[in-house]
Amino acid sequence: MKFLVLLCALALSPFCVAQQVPLEDFVRHGDYLDMKISPDGKHLVARARADGVVGILFLEAETMKFIGGVRPSEGDQIHSADWINNERVIYRYAEKHARYDQPMPTSEIFATNIDGSKAELLYGWRAGTKHQGSRIAQRESSRATPYIISHLEGDDDHILIIEHPWTQRANMLYDTREKHPIISRLNIYNGRKRELETLPKKGANALATRDGEVNFITWVDEEFEFHSAYRKSGSEEWLDINTAFNTDLDLTPVAISDDSTKAYLTGPLGEKKIETLYELDLASGELSPVFDDVKTDIMGWTADSNTNRPIIAYTQPGKTAYHYADTENQQIKLHQMLVDAFGNQTVTITSRSDDGKTILVRVSSDINPGEYYIFETETMNARFLWANRSWLDPRQMHTMQPFTFTTSDDVSVSGYLTMPTLEEDADKPPMVVVIHGGPHGPRDLWSFDSEVQLLASRGYAVLQVNFRGSGGYGEVFEEMGYLQWGGDMIRDINEAAKFIIEQGKVDGDRVCAYGGSYGGYAALMTVIREPDMYKCTIGYVGLYDLRYGFDESDILTREWGKSYLNKVLGTDMKVLTDFSPVEHADKIKASVMLLHGEKDQRVPVENSILMQEALTKAGNPAIYHNFSKAGHGVYDEAERKALYSALVEFLDNHIGAE
């Protein structure tokens, strides 16, 4: 077999490794975002940012020659782009609104040929009026959120979509998923649409075969319980999936084999209920795990190009681990070769040509923001295409080291420690405990994190903890955090900090907590529970009064929103009071900084105002920064620079990295 040859077209700039990377380089948004290869392997569609605008480029795959593209208005973005056939691409916008600093995805679907011809607004609320460049004066207007569920093999003119109709409340329209979705066939050249059926469950998502047969639906009820159903054909009744296939597993259908004989479903495995993939034989009902060696939830997978059967799964017990369904499969052997060639980074096959001869590979890691390579399977050559955030040199970034420890109540908790560059015989560095948001579902990952890298570049050790309640470690571990927002979850974070301090790697007298959303809340609760361990804390868009904090939250626009909060947060007012930082301001010895977006609709800004008032009353007034353009997180680059400049200055003043 020929050796794998990696041809890099990027000449690295002559960085001085000792030179500090400017703060601006960390707060800038990425430039080269993603790309996909056409079915015939001849062209690429890529999303890239220039001058604050994210557009799409059409490139020749062999030469990277620019042949066309779409540039939206200033401040807007192309949110996604997908090949429909060799000449035509469907794309969607994210538009800038006065209420948000970050462009928000729209419900509209656009299409264009790669030469710029036949550009159309196919779907959306403006589709009923003439659109610039459109040949059609009138078309049906749709006030719904659409998703493509089948490219309809053998039909070059249509795609199958599911439409989620919006709900009007006062003078606003919301995608609340409280109406019955509609399955429709959409013409990709003229936007004409034909409604085929209305699904029986509110807010349901659908899974369709390559030829458009809708066999599975999944939905969430008002009590935040998940359900799935199956039918053999469109003329038959829907059956609960457990009844249809005589199983008691909680299964969610996610894919169907190309020949429509097998379905693939996510479901729990073992006592910890780790999420894995199952294969279901639709004729016999036989159900078996595709990957039974996983220790943490499957994060993603790659399917066989010939069958659509999942053959490679990705997990992160620490760094990225790979799981293979059939070691004799040639595509698996190719992936194993790529992993070896790229030094055990995260290697994913993002798209491929229909004949399988040309594949697009994305490579990333804790110090690599992401690179794309095109790989020719016949020559076994990989050619570099582009790198996201190429202004950041991986040699100047800092590695994330996984760790696991056992809590005082015998629970295994994992996380990551990122150490700064230290001179020989240097003092131990101060540590920032960075707490992730969510809290249920998200987790910290072994991946490039500009926030972590900024702090490490300024001399701080960074601790990230996947406390109980975090996603990724099985359903049991996640549910251990329910009703424990200010209890066991906070204890896990503090015990992890003590564990790292006891290892002798960091200065235990210079520790600060910081987080956003739930992490902002937790940053305040950690210093309440352990007032002598922290010198400072930073709450970013945090929820500080659990009794009333969600009264105005956009979570409640969903039909299941209140049930979800009751399930994970609870309704016991005594507990909610004890878990609310505003009630314990007098216990906080640490210096406090609060950061909030004025337009935050997830956690209203009143939370930070109330917390500031409580701290002032307790004689420990916080430094408070309000960002007028921001919502639930700061997106505008100028405001991001101001935020992180203030954050680093605050840390320097209180735990003083040298």
Side-chain angles (χ1 to χ4, degrees):
M1 180 178 292
K2 296 181 180 180
F3 287 105
L4 180 66
V5 179
L6 302 179
L7 303 177
C8 181
L10 177 66
L12 291 176
S13 300
F15 286 100
C16 175
V17 175
Q19 183 179 358
Q20 188 179 73
V21 179
L23 182 143
E24 292 87 343
D25 286 357
F26 291 108
V27 303
R28 289 171 62 186
H29 298 301
D31 51 353
Y32 295 132
L33 304 178
D34 53 52
M35 59 170 53
K36 296 174 183 176
I37 198 162
S38 62
D40 61 9
K42 294 180 179 180
H43 295 97
L44 300 167
V45 59
R47 291 194 312 131
R49 179 182 280 107
D51 301 324
V53 176
V54 176
I56 54 176
L57 311 175
F58 299 119
L59 308 164
E60 288 185 353
E62 185 174 351
T63 65
M64 289 295 285
K65 178 183 176 182
F66 173 76
I67 59 173
V70 177
R71 178 183 174 88
S73 302
E74 183 176 356
D76 293 345
Q77 297 184 1
I78 301 294
H79 181 257
S80 61
D82 293 286
W83 292 100
I84 299 301
N85 54 45
N86 290 323
E87 68 171 1
R88 197 152 180 81
V89 167
I90 277 182
Y91 62 95
R92 302 177 73 162
Y93 272 116
E95 290 187 339
K96 190 78 171 65
H97 293 274
R99 295 170 59 204
Y100 308 100
D101 65 333
Q102 180 173 356
M104 304 300 292
T106 73
S107 64
E108 295 172 319
I109 298 177
F110 295 80
T112 183
N113 286 354
I114 59 177
D115 62 2
S117 64
K118 300 182 180 179
E120 296 288 351
L121 167 59
L122 299 179
Y123 183 98
W125 65 274
R126 293 185 298 182
T129 61
K130 186 174 178 61
H131 184 69
Q132 184 177 2
S134 174
R135 304 186 308 275
I136 299 175
Q138 294 295 325
R139 188 186 294 124
E140 181 181 355
S141 177
S142 298
R143 286 170 167 78
T145 301
Y147 296 96
I148 300 171
I149 59 175
S150 177
H151 285 194
L152 297 177
E153 185 177 24
D155 185 343
D156 292 334
D157 296 332
H158 297 89
I159 55 175
L160 195 69
I161 64 172
I162 183 170
E163 304 176 72
H164 292 282
W166 295 341
T167 299
Q168 183 165 350
R169 293 181 179 172
N171 62 342
M172 298 293 293
L173 288 166
Y174 296 93
D175 180 6
T176 62
R177 304 297 166 97
E178 61 186 80
K179 293 186 177 182
H180 294 270
I182 300 163
I183 304 296
S184 299
R185 189 171 61 199
L186 181 70
N187 188 294
I188 63 171
Y189 289 98
N190 59 32
R192 294 191 182 97
K193 184 183 68 172
R194 178 186 175 190
E195 294 185 3
L196 302 179
E197 68 171 312
T198 299
L199 296 179
K201 299 297 181 180
K202 297 178 181 179
N205 291 316
L207 185 64
T209 63
R210 295 181 71 178
D211 59 6
E213 186 78 34
V214 178
N215 299 121
F216 290 94
I217 56 173
T218 300
W219 70 98
V220 185
D221 65 21
E222 295 180 8
E223 302 303 317
F224 197 66
E225 297 293 336
F226 287 78
H227 305 273
S228 295
Y230 169 76
R231 66 183 181 186
K232 289 184 178 180
S233 67
S235 61
E236 300 196 28
E237 296 262 337
W238 288 102
L239 294 176
D240 177 86
I241 200 166
N242 298 103
T243 301
F245 297 104
N246 191 29
T247 177
D248 58 0
L249 293 175
D250 293 326
L251 299 170
T252 301
V254 292
I256 298 176
S257 64
D258 283 350
D259 62 6
S260 301
T261 63
K262 305 283 196 307
Y264 300 96
L265 311 96
T266 59
L269 179 71
E271 293 182 357
K272 296 181 180 180
K273 296 186 178 180
I274 300 296
E275 185 173 283
T276 190
L277 276 168
Y278 287 85
E279 182 177 81
L280 173 65
D281 187 302
L282 296 176
S284 68
E286 181 181 354
L287 184 72
S288 58
V290 181
F291 308 100
D292 58 6
D293 60 341
V294 293
K295 295 180 174 58
T296 55
D297 292 351
I298 287 177
M299 299 164 51
W301 67 88
T302 296
D304 186 292
S305 60
N306 299 316
T307 64
N308 203 38
R309 178 180 187 248
I311 55 173
I312 306 167
Y314 311 85
T315 65
Q316 278 199 3
K319 299 181 181 181
T320 302
Y322 304 99
H323 308 268
Y324 300 109
D326 180 3
T327 55
E328 296 305 313
N329 183 287
Q330 290 301 311
Q331 293 175 50
I332 287 176
K333 292 180 178 179
L334 173 61
H335 183 266
Q336 291 172 324
M337 187 191 313
L338 289 167
V339 171
D340 290 340
F342 285 106
N344 293 308
Q345 299 185 73
T346 301
V347 179
T348 54
I349 297 172
T350 62
S351 59
R352 55 165 61 88
S353 60
D354 283 347
D355 61 12
K357 293 180 180 180
T358 307
I359 64 175
L360 206 58
V361 180
R362 185 178 188 272
V363 180
S364 63
S365 72
D366 54 341
I367 61 173
N368 178 1
E371 302 168 343
Y372 275 90
Y373 294 81
I374 196 164
F375 184 83
E376 302 293 345
T377 60
E378 291 185 330
T379 62
M380 301 300 284
N381 287 342
R383 176 164 46 90
F384 174 84
L385 298 180
W386 65 17
N388 187 23
R389 300 188 181 192
S390 59
W391 56 83
L392 292 174
D393 183 355
R395 295 171 298 180
Q396 290 182 287
M397 301 299 105
H398 299 81
T399 59
M400 299 172 64
Q401 298 301 320
F403 72 89
T404 300
F405 80 104
T406 303
T407 66
S408 57
D409 60 341
D410 204 31
V411 175
S412 179
V413 169
S414 300
Y416 299 94
L417 179 67
T418 302
M419 293 290 288
T421 301
L422 299 174
E423 299 293 335
E424 190 174 352
D425 299 325
D427 293 336
K428 297 176 183 178
M431 181 171 73
V432 182
V433 182
V434 176
I435 308 167
H436 72 70
H440 308 297
R443 57 161 289 191
D444 286 314
L445 295 168
W446 185 80
S447 62
F448 185 84
D449 187 318
S450 59
E451 198 172 66
V452 170
Q453 294 299 330
L454 168 61
L455 294 175
S457 76
R458 267 53 186 172
Y460 295 99
V462 180
L463 173 64
Q464 298 169 277
V465 186
N466 284 320
F467 45 83
R468 73 189 74 189
S470 302
Y473 295 85
E475 184 179 338
V476 171
F477 186 82
E478 184 172 332
E479 291 182 350
M480 287 173 65
Y482 289 1
L483 310 182
Q484 291 296 324
W485 281 29
D488 291 346
M489 294 163 69
I490 301 300
R491 186 175 65 191
D492 287 351
I493 296 166
N494 285 335
E495 289 188 359
K498 292 177 182 178
F499 171 79
I500 294 300
I501 292 169
E502 290 169 359
Q503 303 301 304
K505 298 179 179 180
V506 302
D507 185 347
D509 292 326
R510 294 189 292 162
V511 181
C512 187
Y514 161 63
S517 196
Y518 172 81
Y521 159 84
L524 273 293
M525 285 305 299
T526 54
V527 303
I528 290 168
R529 300 303 190 207
E530 291 285 351
D532 296 322
M533 189 165 69
Y534 296 91
K535 289 291 188 292
C536 60
T537 191
I538 305 168
Y540 179 23
V541 295
L543 176 70
Y544 306 121
D545 192 335
L546 299 188
R547 297 165 300 183
Y548 315 111
F550 280 108
D551 283 357
E552 303 297 327
S553 174
D554 60 2
I555 289 178
L556 297 178
T557 63
R558 292 299 180 98
E559 195 170 28
W560 44 260
K562 189 173 183 63
S563 295
Y564 168 76
L565 293 176
N566 290 343
K567 186 174 186 177
V568 302
L569 193 54
T571 58
D572 188 322
M573 293 304 292
K574 183 178 179 181
V575 172
L576 294 179
T577 299
D578 181 51
F579 284 179
S580 293
V582 292
E583 291 296 322
H584 304 289
D586 59 333
K587 298 177 183 176
I588 298 176
K589 296 181 180 180
S591 299
V592 180
M593 183 164 75
L594 301 174
L595 309 165
H596 220 112
E598 179 65 28
K599 301 176 181 179
D600 193 344
Q601 295 193 22
R602 177 60 47 86
V603 179
V605 69
E606 284 76 16
N607 276 270
S608 283
I609 295 171
L610 290 173
M611 192 70 232
Q612 168 72 318
E613 291 174 352
L615 286 163
T616 300
K617 185 177 180 181
N620 183 18
I623 295 174
Y624 175 45
H625 293 278
N626 178 284
F627 297 91
S628 60
K629 298 179 182 179
H632 195 56
V634 175
Y635 180 82
D636 177 79
E637 285 189 2
E639 287 198 332
R640 282 171 57 82
K641 181 180 177 181
L643 184 153
Y644 286 106
S645 295
L647 186 150
V648 170
E649 181 181 5
F650 181 81
L651 292 173
D652 289 346
N653 288 339
H654 292 92
I655 57 176
E658 298 296 334

